[in-house]
């Protein structure tokens, strides 16, 4: 069995120049498969709000839901580092609440680290959580929990002022003690500049090829999200089609009596 990865191993990959691989998972079987395949980190993303629960945004996702999914991902993995998203309103209002909720994701969920959206505005909260020895991954750019401020899922940092703010955010998150930083939905040249201006790994999603690693939502790469497919996703399979044809075949077999056969029956 492969050794459990820690933040020290992630730091080592970064200093060696090895690109860091991250995918989301929300349950035991997916976590087991990607862990066995050798993924470096698994993110229990609050994207489960849309991929698993069918909401349009991540905003309704609760701490209880994050804990529930984190436990099953942790049970399915033995080597990947497990990061869990702090859901909307579990950290924004109060630093004390944020510390307690981060602690719950580690203690009750079994995660190894938490991810928090925001930059300079949330740096004090990141520092307080890191100070409790809970490793933190930052997340700036297109931050889905800020959808109402951003006016939709839009690429961020196209204007000079926004780009300057994102650079300042990245430095604030690093300064606060985060061990990695997610860059979502920002122009590739800006992601490169941010990556070169800080000394923690950047994990890109829709942020070009020059980040220290990449993260994607597993449902997107498997073709399980039919509603919306962002430009930055590479689809590796069409699992929706596999499920659809399997279910069609099952319905046909049951209806025409070819299932169950003798081989599926007890003598
Ligand atoms: O919730 C999530 O899956 C994420 C990734 C898209 C980075 O935050």
């Amino acid at each position: 069995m492969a050794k459990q990865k820690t933040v020290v191993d992630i730091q080592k990959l970064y200093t060696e120049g090895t690109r860091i691989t991250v995918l989301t998972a929300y349950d035991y079987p997916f976590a087991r498969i990607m862990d066995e395949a050798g993924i470096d980190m698994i993110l229990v993303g609050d994207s489960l709000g849309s991929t698993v629960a069918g909401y349009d945004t991540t905003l309704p996702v609760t701490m209880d839901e994050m804990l529930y999914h984190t436990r099953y991902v942790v049970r399915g993995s033995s080597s990947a580092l497990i990061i869990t998203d702090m859901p909307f309103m579990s950290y924004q209002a109060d630093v004390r609440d944020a510390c307690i909720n981060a602690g719950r994701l580690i203690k009750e969920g079994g995660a190894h680290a938490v991810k928090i959206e925001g930059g300079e505005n949330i740096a004090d909260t990141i520092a307080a959580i890191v100070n409790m020895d809970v490793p933190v991954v930052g997340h700036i750019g297109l931050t889905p929990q800020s959808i109402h401020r951003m006016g939709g899922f839009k690429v961020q940092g196209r204007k000079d002022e926004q780009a300057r703010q994102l650079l300042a955010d990245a430095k604030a998150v690093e300064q606060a003690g985060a061990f990695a930083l997610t860059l979502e939905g920002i122009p590739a040249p800006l992601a490169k500049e941010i990556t070169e201006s800080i000394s923690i790994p950047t994990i890109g999603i829709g942020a070009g090829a020059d980040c220290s690693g990449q993260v994607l939502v597993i449902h997107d790469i498997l073709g399980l999200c039919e509603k919306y497919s962002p430009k930055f996703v590479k689809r590796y399979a069409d699992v929706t089609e596999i499920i659809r044809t399997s279910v069609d075949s099952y319905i046909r077999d049951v209806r025409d009596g070819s299932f169950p056969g003798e081989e599926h029956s007890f003598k």
Side-chain angles (χ1 to χ4, degrees):
M1 195 189 283
K3 167 182 162 293
Q4 172 66 63
K5 288 196 174 84
T6 67
V7 290
V8 178
D9 299 306
I10 302 303
Q11 180 66 36
K12 191 159 168 266
L13 292 175
Y14 169 64
T15 25
E16 285 168 0
T18 305
R19 281 172 195 256
I20 300 161
T21 57
V22 190
L23 279 170
T24 67
Y26 316 103
D27 61 21
Y28 174 88
F30 275 81
R32 188 174 53 76
I33 294 165
M34 57 183 80
D35 192 81
E36 283 171 7
I39 198 85
D40 295 315
M41 302 200 273
I42 296 178
L43 170 66
V44 187
D46 60 354
S47 51
L48 67 86
S50 42
T51 55
V52 176
Y55 298 124
D56 287 334
T57 72
T58 57
L59 302 183
V61 176
T62 64
M63 272 296 293
D64 283 345
E65 286 166 331
M66 293 312 298
L67 284 165
Y68 173 92
H69 288 279
T70 301
R71 285 190 195 107
Y72 301 146
V73 167
V74 168
R75 284 172 64 80
S77 65
S78 55
S79 72
L81 185 102
I82 313 294
I83 309 157
T84 292
D85 263 336
M86 295 200 65
F88 181 58
M89 289 317 291
S90 68
Y91 61 94
Q92 284 92 341
D94 185 65
V95 175
R96 188 169 179 277
D97 273 0
C99 289
I100 291 169
N101 286 326
R104 287 189 69 199
L105 292 169
I106 306 294
K107 187 172 172 136
E108 298 171 40
H112 306 125
V114 298
K115 177 163 79 57
I116 302 185
E117 295 183 11
E120 277 184 326
N121 61 324
I122 212 74
D124 287 351
T125 303
I126 295 178
I129 295 173
V130 170
N131 201 32
M132 298 190 318
D133 283 341
V134 173
V136 173
V137 177
H139 185 165
I140 63 169
L142 193 176
T143 44
Q145 291 177 21
S146 316
I147 180 165
H148 295 311
R149 172 178 53 78
M150 294 181 307
F153 296 106
K154 294 180 179 159
V155 173
Q156 303 293 300
R158 283 207 158 115
K159 299 203 177 96
D160 283 354
E161 195 189 322
Q162 265 189 352
R164 269 196 300 279
Q165 182 60 52
L166 285 172
L167 271 160
D169 285 338
K171 287 184 182 150
V173 168
E174 176 188 25
Q175 191 68 35
F179 77 95
L181 176 62
T182 309
L183 301 180
E184 178 166 358
I186 64 176
L190 175 60
K192 182 171 191 284
E193 191 180 345
I194 293 175
T195 301
E196 286 167 357
S197 70
I198 58 177
S199 10
I200 54 173
T202 56
I203 311 295
I205 171 163
D210 293 305
C211 297
S212 328
Q214 293 290 324
V215 57
L216 281 176
V217 168
I218 186 70
H219 286 53
D220 287 339
I221 74 168
L222 296 181
L224 272 165
C225 278
E226 288 187 305
K227 256 195 204 164
Y228 169 68
S229 183
K231 172 185 163 105
F232 57 77
V233 169
K234 180 167 177 186
R235 191 173 274 196
Y236 289 84
D238 188 351
V239 173
T240 297
E241 195 47 34
I242 296 173
I243 296 175
R244 194 172 280 138
T245 53
S246 306
V247 173
D248 283 349
S249 305
Y250 171 75
I251 293 171
R252 193 196 51 230
D253 288 356
V254 171
R255 293 234 167 96
D256 71 13
S258 55
F259 175 82
E262 258 189 48
E263 68 277 30
H264 310 114
S265 307
F266 300 107
K267 293 261 188 289

